Amino acid sequence: MQLPSLRHLILLGFFVSLIPLSLLLWQSNAIQRQVSTSSIAFTNNSINTVRLAVETDNLLIDIERGIRQYLILNSDPLIDLARTNIDKYESLLDDLCTLNNTQLAEFCTQQTQDIATLSRTFTTRQQDVLNTEFQTLKKRQTNMMQTLWLFLDDATQEQQTYVSRQQTRANTWLLVIAFVTFCLVVILSRRLAAPVKQLDEKINAIGTGHKRETEKTDSFSGPKEFRHIFAKLVWLDARLQQLEATRQSILRHASHEFKTPLSSILESCSILNDELTGPLTPQQREVITLLEESTLRLQDLTEQLLDYNRFLQQQKPNITDVNPSALLAQIAGDHELLLRKRQQQLTVDCALNEIQTDNTLFTRIVENLLSNAQAYGEQAGRIRIHFYQQGSTLILSVANTGPRIATAHLAHLLEPFYRADVPRHDSLRGNGLGLSIVNDCARLLGGHVELGNDDNFDFMARVTLPIYQETQ
């Protein structure tokens, strides 16, 4: 399924992420309303309870004072005042008991009965009897007040517990919504990450030059902008392959076409040098020598171009068992005459007798590095080849004494046809392909090359290779 444009996908992700956030906002408002409603109800009930309790307590004092005044003064208006206060007390007590029916049920029943009896009989009772009833009423009123205060304390604690529970509920909703939002973001990001990964793989394939056999250029799915970029990459890949094929074809045909005339020129120079066509003057012999040296140089360049072209086309190394000690000794023997001519001392340090690698690629690496060290090293200088195992890798270092190479050049020496300003001390002129071929061979073997120097040598090439590769 093709995804919409990147803009639409971003807007869709924004609105999708708003859904859980809106749900969280709605749920938070609902919890807040519940807490607010409960708190208001609790506050109103507490205020009414306290107000009624205080008023009943004050009225009970007024009732006692009015009845005692009546007993002293024996005045009818005092009777009406006492009964009015009793009626108010009964009304307030009824309201108080209605608000707190469970906690004050027993008290309300007894207090209502006793106050009603007092209202009917206080005019006919003796002082002592009334004192006893007053003490009973006040004691019960005191117990009622204590019960109410305890009830309010418990209700306050319960209200705090309720608010805490609602807060926990809100936090739970927050965590759930946050997790859901995170999952939605991950899903949407994966919808973007997948095409980005495909683009990255395509770019890497173009950069490395390795085309996957299972790659399907028409199976890309992603936003419209990414599909457009992928189509451009496919076009670029095809164009680069076309240019690469053209370049390889030119190198292959030009190199092969050079070999035949070069061989003819060398053979002709040999005939002239042997004076098979007649004697030569010194000037003629000098021209022929110059022609022969130039032809040899061009022949060497042609062979290196063929090697370079072959390595570019090679995709996988041919892994076999190789004896590095014997191979290094053989290569050193092949260069013995050149080393002796320049009085250079070669040291080979290798304690490994068997490795698994591509024999041709490994040989090319050693030969090119040794040729460079012999040609660019100083007269009567030192050359060292050191091959050893370090952890899970194999290290080949070829170092020589001689002029140091500027740091600005070191970064480019592995590029094809790049040459530093260091003179070459042999009959051939440098063409800038030797280290590039070393770099390509190391890359095919899964390794890399580093250039620099150490304390004892002016230049060192260090090749790092994997210790083992499966035969493909």
Short mmCIF file of all heavy atoms in Angstrom, two decimals, residues 423-447:
data_model
loop_
_atom_site.label_atom_id
_atom_site.label_comp_id
_atom_site.label_asym_id
_atom_site.label_seq_id
_atom_site.Cartn_x
_atom_site.Cartn_y
_atom_site.Cartn_z
N PRO A 423 60.31 11.99 -5.12
CA PRO A 423 60.87 11.41 -6.36
C PRO A 423 60.96 9.90 -6.28
O PRO A 423 61.12 9.31 -5.21
CB PRO A 423 62.26 12.05 -6.44
CG PRO A 423 62.61 12.37 -5.02
CD PRO A 423 61.32 12.76 -4.36
N ARG A 424 60.83 9.26 -7.46
CA ARG A 424 60.94 7.80 -7.55
C ARG A 424 62.32 7.45 -8.07
O ARG A 424 62.77 7.97 -9.10
CB ARG A 424 59.87 7.27 -8.50
CG ARG A 424 59.82 5.75 -8.62
CD ARG A 424 58.75 5.33 -9.61
NE ARG A 424 58.74 3.89 -9.78
CZ ARG A 424 57.87 3.06 -9.19
NH1 ARG A 424 56.95 3.57 -8.40
NH2 ARG A 424 57.93 1.77 -9.39
N HIS A 425 63.04 6.54 -7.39
CA HIS A 425 64.44 6.25 -7.69
C HIS A 425 64.59 4.96 -8.49
O HIS A 425 65.23 4.00 -8.07
CB HIS A 425 65.25 6.14 -6.39
CG HIS A 425 65.17 7.38 -5.55
ND1 HIS A 425 65.77 8.57 -5.90
CD2 HIS A 425 64.54 7.61 -4.37
CE1 HIS A 425 65.53 9.48 -4.97
NE2 HIS A 425 64.78 8.91 -4.03
N ASP A 426 63.93 4.88 -9.63
CA ASP A 426 64.17 3.77 -10.54
C ASP A 426 63.90 4.26 -11.95
O ASP A 426 63.68 5.44 -12.20
CB ASP A 426 63.29 2.55 -10.18
CG ASP A 426 61.80 2.87 -10.23
OD1 ASP A 426 61.45 4.01 -10.63
OD2 ASP A 426 61.00 2.00 -9.89
N SER A 427 63.93 3.36 -12.91
CA SER A 427 63.83 3.74 -14.32
C SER A 427 62.41 4.09 -14.73
O SER A 427 62.18 4.61 -15.82
CB SER A 427 64.35 2.60 -15.20
OG SER A 427 63.59 1.42 -14.98
N LEU A 428 61.43 3.75 -13.88
CA LEU A 428 60.04 4.01 -14.21
C LEU A 428 59.53 5.21 -13.45
O LEU A 428 59.95 5.48 -12.32
CB LEU A 428 59.17 2.78 -13.86
CG LEU A 428 59.52 1.49 -14.60
CD1 LEU A 428 58.63 0.37 -14.12
CD2 LEU A 428 59.39 1.68 -16.11
N ARG A 429 58.61 5.91 -14.08
CA ARG A 429 57.99 7.05 -13.42
C ARG A 429 56.68 6.61 -12.77
O ARG A 429 55.92 5.82 -13.35
CB ARG A 429 57.71 8.15 -14.46
CG ARG A 429 57.15 9.42 -13.85
CD ARG A 429 56.85 10.44 -14.93
NE ARG A 429 56.22 11.61 -14.38
CZ ARG A 429 55.71 12.60 -15.11
NH1 ARG A 429 55.77 12.51 -16.44
NH2 ARG A 429 55.17 13.65 -14.55
N GLY A 430 56.41 7.09 -11.60
CA GLY A 430 55.20 6.69 -10.88
C GLY A 430 53.94 7.08 -11.62
O GLY A 430 53.88 8.14 -12.25
N ASN A 431 52.90 6.21 -11.56
CA ASN A 431 51.63 6.51 -12.22
C ASN A 431 50.48 6.67 -11.23
O ASN A 431 49.35 6.92 -11.62
CB ASN A 431 51.28 5.42 -13.24
CG ASN A 431 51.40 4.02 -12.64
OD1 ASN A 431 50.83 3.74 -11.59
ND2 ASN A 431 52.19 3.16 -13.29
N GLY A 432 50.74 6.47 -9.94
CA GLY A 432 49.69 6.71 -8.93
C GLY A 432 48.67 5.61 -8.81
O GLY A 432 47.59 5.84 -8.24
N LEU A 433 48.96 4.40 -9.30
CA LEU A 433 47.99 3.30 -9.20
C LEU A 433 48.38 2.25 -8.17
O LEU A 433 47.55 1.44 -7.77
CB LEU A 433 47.82 2.62 -10.56
CG LEU A 433 46.92 3.32 -11.57
CD1 LEU A 433 46.92 2.56 -12.89
CD2 LEU A 433 45.50 3.42 -11.03
N GLY A 434 49.64 2.23 -7.74
CA GLY A 434 50.11 1.17 -6.85
C GLY A 434 49.32 1.11 -5.54
O GLY A 434 48.75 0.07 -5.18
N LEU A 435 49.28 2.22 -4.80
CA LEU A 435 48.57 2.23 -3.52
C LEU A 435 47.06 2.11 -3.71
O LEU A 435 46.36 1.58 -2.84
CB LEU A 435 48.92 3.50 -2.74
CG LEU A 435 50.35 3.57 -2.21
CD1 LEU A 435 50.60 4.89 -1.50
CD2 LEU A 435 50.63 2.41 -1.26
N SER A 436 46.55 2.63 -4.84
CA SER A 436 45.13 2.48 -5.11
C SER A 436 44.77 1.02 -5.30
O SER A 436 43.72 0.55 -4.82
CB SER A 436 44.75 3.28 -6.35
OG SER A 436 43.39 3.10 -6.66
N ILE A 437 45.65 0.26 -6.00
CA ILE A 437 45.41 -1.18 -6.16
C ILE A 437 45.48 -1.88 -4.81
O ILE A 437 44.69 -2.78 -4.51
CB ILE A 437 46.43 -1.77 -7.16
CG1 ILE A 437 46.15 -1.23 -8.57
CG2 ILE A 437 46.40 -3.29 -7.14
CD1 ILE A 437 47.15 -1.67 -9.62
N VAL A 438 46.44 -1.49 -3.96
CA VAL A 438 46.53 -2.06 -2.60
C VAL A 438 45.23 -1.82 -1.83
O VAL A 438 44.69 -2.71 -1.17
CB VAL A 438 47.73 -1.45 -1.85
CG1 VAL A 438 47.69 -1.84 -0.37
CG2 VAL A 438 49.03 -1.90 -2.48
N ASN A 439 44.70 -0.60 -1.94
CA ASN A 439 43.48 -0.25 -1.23
C ASN A 439 42.31 -1.07 -1.74
O ASN A 439 41.48 -1.57 -0.95
CB ASN A 439 43.20 1.25 -1.40
CG ASN A 439 42.04 1.71 -0.54
OD1 ASN A 439 41.95 1.38 0.63
ND2 ASN A 439 41.15 2.48 -1.14
N ASP A 440 42.19 -1.24 -3.07
CA ASP A 440 41.10 -2.03 -3.62
C ASP A 440 41.22 -3.51 -3.24
O ASP A 440 40.21 -4.17 -2.93
CB ASP A 440 41.07 -1.90 -5.15
CG ASP A 440 40.59 -0.53 -5.59
OD1 ASP A 440 39.83 0.10 -4.83
OD2 ASP A 440 40.98 -0.09 -6.69
N CYS A 441 42.43 -4.04 -3.24
CA CYS A 441 42.62 -5.44 -2.83
C CYS A 441 42.25 -5.64 -1.36
O CYS A 441 41.59 -6.63 -0.99
CB CYS A 441 44.07 -5.86 -3.06
SG CYS A 441 44.56 -5.96 -4.80
N ALA A 442 42.67 -4.71 -0.51
CA ALA A 442 42.33 -4.80 0.91
C ALA A 442 40.83 -4.71 1.11
O ALA A 442 40.25 -5.42 1.95
CB ALA A 442 43.05 -3.70 1.69
N ARG A 443 40.16 -3.82 0.36
CA ARG A 443 38.71 -3.69 0.48
C ARG A 443 38.00 -4.98 0.08
O ARG A 443 37.05 -5.41 0.74
CB ARG A 443 38.23 -2.53 -0.39
CG ARG A 443 36.72 -2.35 -0.42
CD ARG A 443 36.33 -1.19 -1.32
NE ARG A 443 36.86 -1.36 -2.66
CZ ARG A 443 36.30 -2.12 -3.59
NH1 ARG A 443 35.19 -2.81 -3.31
NH2 ARG A 443 36.83 -2.21 -4.80
N LEU A 444 38.46 -5.60 -1.02
CA LEU A 444 37.85 -6.85 -1.44
C LEU A 444 38.03 -7.95 -0.40
O LEU A 444 37.19 -8.85 -0.27
CB LEU A 444 38.44 -7.30 -2.77
CG LEU A 444 38.03 -6.46 -3.99
CD1 LEU A 444 38.83 -6.87 -5.22
CD2 LEU A 444 36.54 -6.63 -4.27
N LEU A 445 39.12 -7.89 0.35
CA LEU A 445 39.36 -8.88 1.41
C LEU A 445 38.68 -8.52 2.72
O LEU A 445 38.82 -9.23 3.71
CB LEU A 445 40.87 -9.02 1.65
CG LEU A 445 41.66 -9.71 0.53
CD1 LEU A 445 43.15 -9.63 0.80
CD2 LEU A 445 41.21 -11.17 0.38
N GLY A 446 37.96 -7.41 2.73
CA GLY A 446 37.25 -7.00 3.94
C GLY A 446 38.09 -6.21 4.90
O GLY A 446 37.74 -6.10 6.08
N GLY A 447 39.22 -5.64 4.44
CA GLY A 447 40.10 -4.88 5.32
C GLY A 447 40.21 -3.43 4.90
O GLY A 447 39.41 -2.93 4.10
#
